[in-house]
Amino acid sequence: MKHKVKVTVPVEKRGLFGIKKTVSETRKLTVDGKTYKKIKRARKNRPYSVEEMMLYDEILDEWDD
């Protein structure tokens, strides 16, 4: 079965005066079932972001009072 997945891909672009820079772009890819499961597992097991850690810290601090 085919699945469409949004993925952030690094792409080299030319900026001002022809200087190359790396930019992240979001693209839709079509993948098979095995790769789709692997991507979902990797997203589920990713580490927390700074914003998520701050949110959880605030929530748990309120319970200690």
Side-chain angles (χ1 to χ4, degrees):
M1 179 176 219
K2 301 286 183 178
H3 297 275
K4 290 191 178 182
V5 182
K6 287 185 181 179
V7 183
T8 305
V9 180
V11 177
E12 276 194 7
K13 289 194 171 188
R14 291 189 180 267
L16 191 61
F17 304 117
I19 299 171
K20 291 183 181 178
K21 61 181 179 179
T22 305
V23 181
S24 297
E25 289 186 351
T26 305
R27 295 184 180 177
K28 284 187 179 179
L29 298 177
T30 305
V31 295
D32 61 342
K34 186 176 180 181
T35 310
Y36 178 74
K37 287 180 183 179
K38 187 176 180 180
I39 291 172
K40 281 190 75 169
R41 207 174 311 123
R43 284 184 184 171
K44 184 178 176 184
N45 294 331
R46 69 172 173 71
Y48 291 126
S49 67
V50 175
E51 292 85 16
E52 288 174 327
M53 283 194 275
M54 290 173 61
L55 176 69
Y56 293 141
D57 189 39
E58 286 181 24
I59 291 171
L60 295 175
D61 256 358
E62 290 174 1
W63 284 9
D64 290 341
D65 293 336

